[in-house]
Amino acid sequence: MNQGTAIANQAPLKQRLAILGSTGSIGLSTLDVVARHPDRFEVFGLSAHQRIDVLLQQCQRFKPRVVVLPEEAVAQRMRLLLQAHRLDVDVLSGASALTTLAAAPEVDTVMAAIVGAAGLPACMAAARAGKRLLLANKEALVVGGELFMQAVHDGGATLLPIDSEHSAIFQCLPEDPSTWLQRVDHIVLTASGGPFRSREHASLHDVTPEQAVAHPNWVMGRKISVDSATMMNKALEVIEAHWLFGLQPDDIRVVIHPQSIIHSMVVCRDGSVLAQLGTPDMKVPIAYGLSFPERIEAGASRLDFTKLSALTFEEPDRRRFPGLFLAWDALRAPLGTTAVLNAANEEAVTAFLDGTIGFTSIHKTNALTLERLPPDLGPHPRLEDLIELDQRARAVARGVMKQP
């Protein structure tokens, strides 16, 4: 967050929430926190992709007024289920319905937990409408960058990061954003290293989707779990940190910390290091975002220092995790390069999970797509320009993957 980002004042007694991506891991954790504080939060709207059985259970428990689904056919099935259970919930469909929900005047807070670039328009709508925006969709910044931050500023929105690493950085920074650059030397994003941190580099080609999604520390969705295994998630987080905190690429560093206890660190000008620690549970940054500037019970287990055998750190291996290092290259490249990288990665991860490419082909696809599609955006792209670039990058990535 730069100086243009609004810092939250005291939250209203009862926040009305829209949770975009309510059936994913972040959405489920958000509702877990919400359920612990019925006096503070009210669920106004939910959105999901396909898991209408889970969405129905959420409607039964939290009684939202609106749910949004991507396709009308799925929405109609949801309407029939709600009718059978005598639940009075409006069911809308399509991308425009999602942006309408994100900007609805009845909504105070938007949890943006949709995975991928598909969440960008709704995030932009929430920012322009001046919402408290809890950002778990890192792609909004990776793709939207300056345009998204300008929308936050112009709309007077409150932007709070939900990724554990960026929440940790935010918690360690001085309260006044205008002093960040004078007091901070650099930041260090920690990474678990995923399931293949110590696996032989030559054997990574044979990795299966089931192995890639088996994260040793965190419970996450399939796409994000694969990104953790390739460390592309950390590449995206480096880009996100650049926009959130107004830091230059060289001021953002990454270290592997297998225990996932230290969630990230701020290194000050005088050499002091401020760190945020805790158990690896996304309910902690979610609760912090929901209650900021207060702190509420998150439902996460407490950290027991007497049971910690060691906290270790390693430098990322460029051969094992080549995708990580694309982050700094993309940030130094022409505007829009980070959007191309994100689109290529989304296409490659989908293909890997579908079994059509191998694990190491994810890195190959990302690198070749960047090479073949240098962006040609002007200095002030529109949202439509970024979406069009995203689509072109996906087409290039699909073409790359068809080649032997």
Side-chain angles (χ1 to χ4, degrees), residues 353-365:
L353 288 172
D354 289 343
T356 58
I357 66 169
F359 183 75
T360 54
S361 292
I362 297 174
H363 298 305
K364 176 183 176 183
T365 300

Side-chain angles (χ1 to χ4, degrees), residues 123-138:
C123 288
M124 290 286 293
R128 289 167 174 161
K131 305 300 183 185
R132 174 188 284 240
L133 179 54
L134 310 185
L135 190 66
N137 175 272
K138 60 176 65 69

Side-chain angles (χ1 to χ4, degrees), residues 134-155:
L134 310 185
L135 190 66
N137 175 272
K138 60 176 65 69
E139 293 85 358
L141 277 166
V142 173
V143 177
E146 183 178 11
L147 183 68
F148 178 74
M149 293 304 296
Q150 189 63 47
V152 170
H153 176 270
D154 293 346

